[in-house]
């Protein structure tokens, strides 16, 4: 099965996020997901299958906390007013979403409950936040 065919086949995984955000989140198509990934995730190498290689990237903050409060703190610290955020989880079967960063901050717990890793790209600020369950967060700018 191709990545495009598998993409978004597990939307129930993010049902709690979509319910918490109401109509404030948009589920991205595979083409939209890949276009957004080209601006952030795809600019990194990887370590293993789901961890980003931050070598060559500007790291703005690392945190060993791994809860919604810390994600809210990062979003408030780095997102501009009304900034769009794109959220990916570690499995292409789980569709990515786009929503305002302030809404993502409000739903931080639900976002983190969807899987053991996720990435949030703040589109205007060009800041990527990586979450690895049990390890914490890294926030920084993708390599050029």
């Amino acid at each position: 099965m191709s990545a495009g065919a598998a993409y978004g086949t597990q939307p129930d995984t993010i049902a709690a996020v979509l319910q918490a955000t109401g109509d404030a989140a948009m589920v991205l198509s595979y083409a939209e997901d890949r276009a957004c990934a080209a601006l952030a995730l795809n600019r990194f190498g990887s370590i293993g299958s789901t961890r980003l290689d931050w070598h060559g990237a500007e790291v703005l903050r690392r945190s060993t906390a791994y809860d919604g409060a810390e994600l809210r703190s990062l979003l408030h610290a780095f997102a501009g007013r009304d900034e769009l955020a794109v959220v990916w989880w570690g499995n292409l079967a789980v569709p990515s979403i786009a929503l305002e960063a302030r809404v993502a901050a409000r739903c931080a717990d639900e976002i983190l409950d969807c899987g053991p890793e996720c990435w949030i790209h703040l589109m205007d600020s060009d800041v990527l936040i990586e979450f690895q369950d049990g390890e914490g967060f890294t926030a920084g700018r993708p390599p050029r």
Side-chain angles (χ1 to χ4, degrees):
M1 179 182 290
S2 72
Y7 176 79
T9 58
Q10 296 178 11
D12 291 350
T13 304
I14 61 169
V17 173
L18 296 178
Q19 182 176 1
T21 61
D23 63 354
M26 179 179 83
V27 176
L28 300 182
S29 69
Y30 180 70
E32 292 165 332
D33 171 274
R34 296 296 78 202
C36 291
L39 300 173
L41 290 178
N42 294 353
R43 289 169 36 196
F44 286 88
S46 64
I47 299 173
S49 61
T50 63
R51 186 175 321 269
L52 298 180
D53 181 356
W54 285 87
H55 180 75
E58 177 187 1
V59 174
L60 300 171
R61 184 160 49 172
R62 292 188 192 271
S63 170
T64 57
Y66 49 94
D67 59 14
E70 184 63 14
L71 178 53
R72 276 188 289 284
S73 172
L74 290 165
L75 289 168
H76 290 305
F78 296 114
R81 182 170 173 79
D82 301 323
E83 183 158 4
L84 183 67
V86 174
V87 183
W88 296 270
W89 289 272
N91 182 343
L92 272 176
V94 179
S96 57
I97 60 172
L99 68 168
E100 287 187 4
R102 65 181 170 79
V103 176
R106 193 176 70 229
C107 301
D109 293 310
E110 289 86 353
I111 289 170
L112 297 180
D113 286 344
C114 291
E117 65 271 328
C118 72
W119 299 268
I120 300 172
H121 184 220
L122 302 172
M123 300 295 284
D124 294 335
S125 303
D126 196 27
V127 170
L128 185 74
I129 300 169
E130 177 179 36
F131 168 71
Q132 295 286 332
D133 191 21
E135 295 180 28
F137 295 91
T138 302
R141 300 194 193 287
R144 297 282 168 193

